[in-house]
Amino acid sequence: KLDGAVYYTYLKDALARTTFNFNGQDSILYDGVLSQVQAIQNISNAYVYGLQGGVELNLGKGFSLKSMISYQKGFEYNVDSASYFPKSHITPLYGRTALSYKRRHLRMEMYAVYHGRMNHDDLPLIERKNHSYALDHEGNSYTPSWYTLNIKATYFFNEHTSLNAGVENITDQLYRTFGSGISAPGRNFSLSLKVML
């Protein structure tokens, strides 16, 4: 099974976070730190385009392989410079690939989740000086690429009771999903018993 899509969206008067004045000031003292004032505003226009694709293969004897990947770009018009710059909340290349095994009482899945790098020039203007990003060899902020390897399994004792177990981020990667500002968990384990009455 193959699937794919190509898309383009044009936004007029799109909402976006940008610099603003509060009581005539472009910066205020917040929690003892001089901070630039920002607000959600209608900007002139913006556009987003991208493509995504997926494949699902039945390998036989209970095994299947499923993979998807997505790529997108977005730009917003900056009135001050009369130019287009990368838009906020546009994620870099990302995807997921999983090898699954299904039998009557057992479901297992080994999967990888991956995210591409976002260079400094691809970051929105407002985020290029964000201190939560990594720095490249020139001292510019960027988001590095990352991947995680994971495994999950479910054993069904009967139609009412199942045992779930899993290990996420097996290689204990330090990574951050784009736009979160918080590092994701390291290697973690899960175990649960589900009983439906």
Short mmCIF file of all heavy atoms in Angstrom, two decimals, residues 66-111:
data_model
loop_
_atom_site.label_atom_id
_atom_site.label_comp_id
_atom_site.label_asym_id
_atom_site.label_seq_id
_atom_site.Cartn_x
_atom_site.Cartn_y
_atom_site.Cartn_z
N LYS A 66 5.79 -0.59 8.07
CA LYS A 66 5.05 0.63 7.75
C LYS A 66 5.97 1.82 7.97
O LYS A 66 6.65 1.91 9.00
CB LYS A 66 3.81 0.75 8.65
CG LYS A 66 2.88 1.88 8.29
CD LYS A 66 1.62 1.83 9.14
CE LYS A 66 0.64 2.90 8.70
NZ LYS A 66 -0.61 2.86 9.48
N SER A 67 5.98 2.74 7.01
CA SER A 67 6.84 3.91 7.12
C SER A 67 6.14 5.13 6.55
O SER A 67 5.39 5.02 5.57
CB SER A 67 8.16 3.67 6.37
OG SER A 67 9.06 4.71 6.60
N MET A 68 6.35 6.29 7.19
CA MET A 68 5.81 7.54 6.68
C MET A 68 6.85 8.64 6.88
O MET A 68 7.66 8.58 7.80
CB MET A 68 4.49 7.93 7.36
CG MET A 68 4.54 8.23 8.85
SD MET A 68 5.23 9.81 9.42
CE MET A 68 4.14 10.95 8.63
N ILE A 69 6.83 9.61 5.99
CA ILE A 69 7.74 10.74 6.07
C ILE A 69 7.01 12.00 5.62
O ILE A 69 6.13 11.93 4.75
CB ILE A 69 9.03 10.49 5.26
CG1 ILE A 69 10.12 11.47 5.65
CG2 ILE A 69 8.76 10.49 3.77
CD1 ILE A 69 11.51 11.01 5.28
N SER A 70 7.35 13.13 6.24
CA SER A 70 6.68 14.38 5.92
C SER A 70 7.70 15.52 5.85
O SER A 70 8.64 15.58 6.66
CB SER A 70 5.64 14.70 7.00
OG SER A 70 4.97 15.91 6.70
N TYR A 71 7.52 16.39 4.87
CA TYR A 71 8.41 17.53 4.67
C TYR A 71 7.55 18.75 4.37
O TYR A 71 6.62 18.67 3.57
CB TYR A 71 9.35 17.25 3.49
CG TYR A 71 10.19 18.44 3.10
CD1 TYR A 71 11.35 18.75 3.80
CD2 TYR A 71 9.85 19.23 2.01
CE1 TYR A 71 12.13 19.84 3.44
CE2 TYR A 71 10.63 20.32 1.64
CZ TYR A 71 11.77 20.61 2.36
OH TYR A 71 12.54 21.69 2.01
N GLN A 72 7.85 19.87 5.04
CA GLN A 72 7.09 21.08 4.77
C GLN A 72 7.95 22.32 4.95
O GLN A 72 8.95 22.31 5.65
CB GLN A 72 5.85 21.16 5.66
CG GLN A 72 6.13 21.20 7.15
CD GLN A 72 4.84 21.22 7.96
OE1 GLN A 72 3.80 21.62 7.47
NE2 GLN A 72 4.91 20.78 9.20
N LYS A 73 7.51 23.39 4.29
CA LYS A 73 8.16 24.70 4.39
C LYS A 73 7.05 25.73 4.54
O LYS A 73 5.94 25.55 4.01
CB LYS A 73 8.96 25.02 3.13
CG LYS A 73 10.25 24.26 3.00
CD LYS A 73 11.32 24.87 3.88
CE LYS A 73 12.70 24.41 3.46
NZ LYS A 73 13.73 25.00 4.30
N GLY A 74 7.35 26.81 5.21
CA GLY A 74 6.37 27.88 5.37
C GLY A 74 7.06 29.22 5.50
O GLY A 74 8.15 29.32 6.07
N PHE A 75 6.45 30.26 4.94
CA PHE A 75 7.03 31.60 4.96
C PHE A 75 5.95 32.63 5.26
O PHE A 75 4.80 32.47 4.85
CB PHE A 75 7.68 31.91 3.61
CG PHE A 75 8.81 30.99 3.27
CD1 PHE A 75 8.58 29.81 2.58
CD2 PHE A 75 10.11 31.29 3.67
CE1 PHE A 75 9.62 28.94 2.28
CE2 PHE A 75 11.15 30.42 3.37
CZ PHE A 75 10.90 29.25 2.68
N GLU A 76 6.35 33.66 5.99
CA GLU A 76 5.42 34.75 6.27
C GLU A 76 6.05 36.06 5.81
O GLU A 76 7.27 36.21 5.78
CB GLU A 76 5.05 34.81 7.74
CG GLU A 76 6.21 35.07 8.67
CD GLU A 76 5.82 34.95 10.13
OE1 GLU A 76 5.08 34.02 10.50
OE2 GLU A 76 6.26 35.81 10.91
N TYR A 77 5.19 36.98 5.45
CA TYR A 77 5.64 38.27 4.94
C TYR A 77 5.92 39.22 6.10
O TYR A 77 5.07 39.43 6.96
CB TYR A 77 4.58 38.86 4.02
CG TYR A 77 4.99 40.13 3.32
CD1 TYR A 77 5.89 40.10 2.27
CD2 TYR A 77 4.47 41.35 3.72
CE1 TYR A 77 6.26 41.26 1.62
CE2 TYR A 77 4.84 42.53 3.08
CZ TYR A 77 5.74 42.47 2.04
OH TYR A 77 6.10 43.63 1.40
N ASN A 78 7.12 39.78 6.12
CA ASN A 78 7.51 40.75 7.14
C ASN A 78 7.33 42.14 6.57
O ASN A 78 8.00 42.52 5.60
CB ASN A 78 8.96 40.50 7.56
CG ASN A 78 9.39 41.43 8.67
OD1 ASN A 78 9.58 42.62 8.46
ND2 ASN A 78 9.57 40.86 9.86
N VAL A 79 6.40 42.91 7.14
CA VAL A 79 6.07 44.23 6.63
C VAL A 79 7.26 45.18 6.73
O VAL A 79 7.52 45.98 5.82
CB VAL A 79 4.86 44.81 7.39
CG1 VAL A 79 4.54 46.22 6.92
CG2 VAL A 79 3.65 43.91 7.22
N ASP A 80 8.03 45.08 7.83
CA ASP A 80 9.15 46.01 8.04
C ASP A 80 10.22 45.88 6.96
O ASP A 80 10.77 46.89 6.51
CB ASP A 80 9.79 45.78 9.42
CG ASP A 80 8.82 46.08 10.55
OD1 ASP A 80 7.93 46.94 10.35
OD2 ASP A 80 8.95 45.46 11.62
N SER A 81 10.53 44.66 6.55
CA SER A 81 11.59 44.47 5.56
C SER A 81 11.05 44.19 4.16
O SER A 81 11.82 44.06 3.22
CB SER A 81 12.50 43.32 5.98
OG SER A 81 11.75 42.12 6.05
N ALA A 82 9.72 44.07 4.03
CA ALA A 82 9.08 43.77 2.74
C ALA A 82 9.66 42.50 2.11
O ALA A 82 9.91 42.43 0.91
CB ALA A 82 9.19 44.95 1.78
N SER A 83 9.89 41.48 2.95
CA SER A 83 10.45 40.21 2.48
C SER A 83 9.75 39.05 3.18
O SER A 83 9.14 39.22 4.24
CB SER A 83 11.94 40.13 2.79
OG SER A 83 12.64 41.15 2.15
N TYR A 84 9.88 37.86 2.59
CA TYR A 84 9.35 36.64 3.20
C TYR A 84 10.45 35.99 4.04
O TYR A 84 11.60 35.90 3.62
CB TYR A 84 8.86 35.66 2.14
CG TYR A 84 7.50 36.01 1.60
CD1 TYR A 84 7.35 36.81 0.48
CD2 TYR A 84 6.35 35.53 2.23
CE1 TYR A 84 6.09 37.13 -0.02
CE2 TYR A 84 5.09 35.84 1.75
CZ TYR A 84 4.97 36.63 0.62
OH TYR A 84 3.72 36.95 0.15
N PHE A 85 10.07 35.50 5.23
CA PHE A 85 10.98 34.80 6.11
C PHE A 85 10.29 33.53 6.61
O PHE A 85 9.06 33.44 6.60
CB PHE A 85 11.37 35.68 7.30
CG PHE A 85 12.23 36.84 6.92
CD1 PHE A 85 11.67 38.09 6.69
CD2 PHE A 85 13.60 36.69 6.77
CE1 PHE A 85 12.45 39.17 6.32
CE2 PHE A 85 14.40 37.76 6.40
CZ PHE A 85 13.83 39.00 6.18
N PRO A 86 11.08 32.53 7.07
CA PRO A 86 10.47 31.28 7.56
C PRO A 86 9.41 31.54 8.63
O PRO A 86 9.57 32.39 9.50
CB PRO A 86 11.65 30.51 8.14
CG PRO A 86 12.82 31.00 7.35
CD PRO A 86 12.55 32.47 7.11
N LYS A 87 8.31 30.79 8.52
CA LYS A 87 7.17 30.95 9.41
C LYS A 87 7.34 30.11 10.67
O LYS A 87 7.99 29.07 10.65
CB LYS A 87 5.89 30.52 8.67
CG LYS A 87 4.63 30.68 9.48
CD LYS A 87 3.42 30.62 8.61
CE LYS A 87 2.15 30.70 9.42
NZ LYS A 87 2.22 31.50 10.62
N SER A 88 6.76 30.56 11.78
CA SER A 88 6.80 29.80 13.03
C SER A 88 5.99 28.51 12.92
O SER A 88 5.07 28.42 12.11
CB SER A 88 6.21 30.64 14.17
OG SER A 88 6.95 31.81 14.35
N HIS A 89 6.32 27.54 13.74
CA HIS A 89 5.59 26.27 13.88
C HIS A 89 5.64 25.39 12.63
O HIS A 89 4.78 24.54 12.45
CB HIS A 89 4.13 26.52 14.28
CG HIS A 89 3.97 27.41 15.46
ND1 HIS A 89 4.45 27.08 16.70
CD2 HIS A 89 3.44 28.65 15.59
CE1 HIS A 89 4.20 28.06 17.55
NE2 HIS A 89 3.59 29.02 16.91
N ILE A 90 6.62 25.58 11.78
CA ILE A 90 6.80 24.70 10.63
C ILE A 90 7.89 23.70 11.00
O ILE A 90 9.06 24.06 11.15
CB ILE A 90 7.20 25.48 9.36
CG1 ILE A 90 6.15 26.54 9.04
CG2 ILE A 90 7.42 24.53 8.20
CD1 ILE A 90 4.78 26.00 8.71
N THR A 91 7.52 22.45 11.17
CA THR A 91 8.47 21.44 11.62
C THR A 91 9.40 21.02 10.48
O THR A 91 9.02 21.06 9.32
CB THR A 91 7.75 20.19 12.15
OG1 THR A 91 6.92 19.68 11.11
CG2 THR A 91 6.92 20.50 13.36
N PRO A 92 10.62 20.61 10.84
CA PRO A 92 11.52 20.08 9.80
C PRO A 92 11.06 18.70 9.35
O PRO A 92 10.06 18.17 9.84
CB PRO A 92 12.87 20.03 10.50
CG PRO A 92 12.56 19.96 11.95
CD PRO A 92 11.24 20.66 12.15
N LEU A 93 11.79 18.12 8.43
CA LEU A 93 11.53 16.76 7.96
C LEU A 93 11.37 15.82 9.15
O LEU A 93 12.16 15.86 10.09
CB LEU A 93 12.71 16.30 7.10
CG LEU A 93 12.68 14.87 6.59
CD1 LEU A 93 11.83 14.82 5.32
CD2 LEU A 93 14.07 14.38 6.30
N TYR A 94 10.32 14.99 9.13
CA TYR A 94 10.15 14.01 10.21
C TYR A 94 9.48 12.76 9.66
O TYR A 94 8.88 12.77 8.58
CB TYR A 94 9.34 14.58 11.37
CG TYR A 94 7.89 14.88 11.06
CD1 TYR A 94 6.89 13.93 11.27
CD2 TYR A 94 7.52 16.12 10.53
CE1 TYR A 94 5.57 14.21 10.97
CE2 TYR A 94 6.20 16.40 10.23
CZ TYR A 94 5.23 15.45 10.46
OH TYR A 94 3.92 15.73 10.15
N GLY A 95 9.60 11.67 10.41
CA GLY A 95 8.99 10.42 9.96
C GLY A 95 8.99 9.36 11.04
O GLY A 95 9.50 9.55 12.15
N ARG A 96 8.41 8.23 10.67
CA ARG A 96 8.31 7.08 11.59
C ARG A 96 8.33 5.81 10.76
O ARG A 96 7.63 5.71 9.75
CB ARG A 96 7.00 7.16 12.38
CG ARG A 96 6.83 6.09 13.45
CD ARG A 96 5.48 6.27 14.16
NE ARG A 96 5.34 5.49 15.36
CZ ARG A 96 4.94 4.23 15.40
NH1 ARG A 96 4.62 3.58 14.27
NH2 ARG A 96 4.84 3.59 16.56
N THR A 97 9.12 4.84 11.17
CA THR A 97 9.20 3.54 10.49
C THR A 97 9.03 2.44 11.53
O THR A 97 9.69 2.49 12.57
CB THR A 97 10.54 3.38 9.75
OG1 THR A 97 10.66 4.41 8.77
CG2 THR A 97 10.64 2.03 9.07
N ALA A 98 8.14 1.49 11.26
CA ALA A 98 7.83 0.45 12.25
C ALA A 98 7.79 -0.93 11.60
O ALA A 98 7.25 -1.11 10.52
CB ALA A 98 6.49 0.75 12.91
N LEU A 99 8.37 -1.89 12.30
CA LEU A 99 8.27 -3.31 11.94
C LEU A 99 7.36 -3.94 12.98
O LEU A 99 7.65 -3.88 14.19
CB LEU A 99 9.64 -3.97 11.96
CG LEU A 99 9.66 -5.49 11.68
CD1 LEU A 99 9.18 -5.78 10.27
CD2 LEU A 99 11.06 -6.05 11.91
N SER A 100 6.25 -4.52 12.54
CA SER A 100 5.25 -5.07 13.46
C SER A 100 5.13 -6.58 13.29
O SER A 100 5.34 -7.11 12.20
CB SER A 100 3.87 -4.44 13.20
OG SER A 100 3.93 -3.05 13.39
N TYR A 101 4.76 -7.22 14.39
CA TYR A 101 4.48 -8.65 14.37
C TYR A 101 3.15 -8.87 15.10
O TYR A 101 2.96 -8.39 16.21
CB TYR A 101 5.59 -9.44 15.09
CG TYR A 101 5.32 -10.91 15.20
CD1 TYR A 101 5.47 -11.74 14.10
CD2 TYR A 101 4.90 -11.47 16.41
CE1 TYR A 101 5.22 -13.11 14.20
CE2 TYR A 101 4.65 -12.83 16.52
CZ TYR A 101 4.81 -13.64 15.42
OH TYR A 101 4.55 -14.99 15.52
N LYS A 102 2.22 -9.58 14.43
CA LYS A 102 0.91 -9.82 15.02
C LYS A 102 0.55 -11.30 14.91
O LYS A 102 0.59 -11.88 13.83
CB LYS A 102 -0.17 -9.00 14.32
CG LYS A 102 -0.06 -7.51 14.55
CD LYS A 102 -1.17 -6.75 13.86
CE LYS A 102 -1.02 -5.26 14.05
NZ LYS A 102 -2.09 -4.49 13.39
N ARG A 103 0.23 -11.86 16.04
CA ARG A 103 -0.30 -13.21 16.10
C ARG A 103 -1.53 -13.17 16.99
O ARG A 103 -1.90 -12.12 17.51
CB ARG A 103 0.75 -14.18 16.64
CG ARG A 103 1.70 -14.71 15.58
CD ARG A 103 0.95 -15.36 14.46
NE ARG A 103 1.81 -16.06 13.53
CZ ARG A 103 1.59 -16.09 12.22
NH1 ARG A 103 0.57 -15.46 11.70
NH2 ARG A 103 2.37 -16.78 11.43
N ARG A 104 -2.16 -14.31 17.21
CA ARG A 104 -3.44 -14.34 17.91
C ARG A 104 -3.39 -13.65 19.28
O ARG A 104 -4.22 -12.84 19.61
CB ARG A 104 -3.89 -15.79 18.07
CG ARG A 104 -5.27 -15.91 18.64
CD ARG A 104 -5.78 -17.32 18.55
NE ARG A 104 -7.07 -17.39 19.24
CZ ARG A 104 -7.40 -18.34 20.08
NH1 ARG A 104 -6.56 -19.31 20.34
NH2 ARG A 104 -8.59 -18.35 20.63
N HIS A 105 -2.37 -13.96 20.08
CA HIS A 105 -2.29 -13.41 21.44
C HIS A 105 -1.20 -12.35 21.61
O HIS A 105 -1.10 -11.75 22.67
CB HIS A 105 -2.01 -14.54 22.45
CG HIS A 105 -3.15 -15.50 22.59
ND1 HIS A 105 -4.32 -15.17 23.23
CD2 HIS A 105 -3.29 -16.78 22.15
CE1 HIS A 105 -5.14 -16.21 23.19
NE2 HIS A 105 -4.55 -17.20 22.54
N LEU A 106 -0.39 -12.12 20.60
CA LEU A 106 0.77 -11.25 20.75
C LEU A 106 0.84 -10.17 19.68
O LEU A 106 0.61 -10.44 18.50
CB LEU A 106 2.05 -12.11 20.69
CG LEU A 106 3.37 -11.38 20.87
CD1 LEU A 106 3.49 -10.76 22.26
CD2 LEU A 106 4.53 -12.33 20.60
N ARG A 107 1.14 -8.95 20.08
CA ARG A 107 1.38 -7.83 19.17
C ARG A 107 2.71 -7.21 19.59
O ARG A 107 2.90 -6.85 20.76
CB ARG A 107 0.30 -6.75 19.28
CG ARG A 107 -1.11 -7.22 19.08
CD ARG A 107 -1.48 -7.32 17.61
NE ARG A 107 -2.89 -7.54 17.42
CZ ARG A 107 -3.51 -8.70 17.44
NH1 ARG A 107 -2.81 -9.78 17.70
NH2 ARG A 107 -4.80 -8.80 17.20
N MET A 108 3.63 -7.08 18.65
CA MET A 108 4.92 -6.46 18.93
C MET A 108 5.22 -5.42 17.85
O MET A 108 4.84 -5.59 16.69
CB MET A 108 6.04 -7.49 18.96
CG MET A 108 5.95 -8.48 20.09
SD MET A 108 7.36 -9.62 20.10
CE MET A 108 8.67 -8.52 20.54
N GLU A 109 5.92 -4.37 18.26
CA GLU A 109 6.29 -3.33 17.30
C GLU A 109 7.65 -2.74 17.69
O GLU A 109 7.85 -2.31 18.81
CB GLU A 109 5.24 -2.22 17.27
CG GLU A 109 5.53 -1.16 16.23
CD GLU A 109 4.48 -0.06 16.19
OE1 GLU A 109 4.21 0.53 17.26
OE2 GLU A 109 3.95 0.21 15.11
N MET A 110 8.57 -2.78 16.75
CA MET A 110 9.84 -2.08 16.88
C MET A 110 9.76 -0.90 15.92
O MET A 110 9.42 -1.09 14.74
CB MET A 110 11.01 -2.98 16.50
CG MET A 110 11.23 -4.14 17.44
SD MET A 110 12.64 -5.17 16.93
CE MET A 110 13.97 -4.00 17.00
N TYR A 111 10.07 0.31 16.41
CA TYR A 111 9.91 1.46 15.54
C TYR A 111 10.94 2.54 15.81
O TYR A 111 11.51 2.63 16.91
CB TYR A 111 8.49 2.03 15.65
CG TYR A 111 8.11 2.57 17.00
CD1 TYR A 111 8.20 3.93 17.28
CD2 TYR A 111 7.66 1.72 18.00
CE1 TYR A 111 7.85 4.42 18.53
CE2 TYR A 111 7.30 2.21 19.25
CZ TYR A 111 7.39 3.56 19.50
OH TYR A 111 7.04 4.04 20.74
#
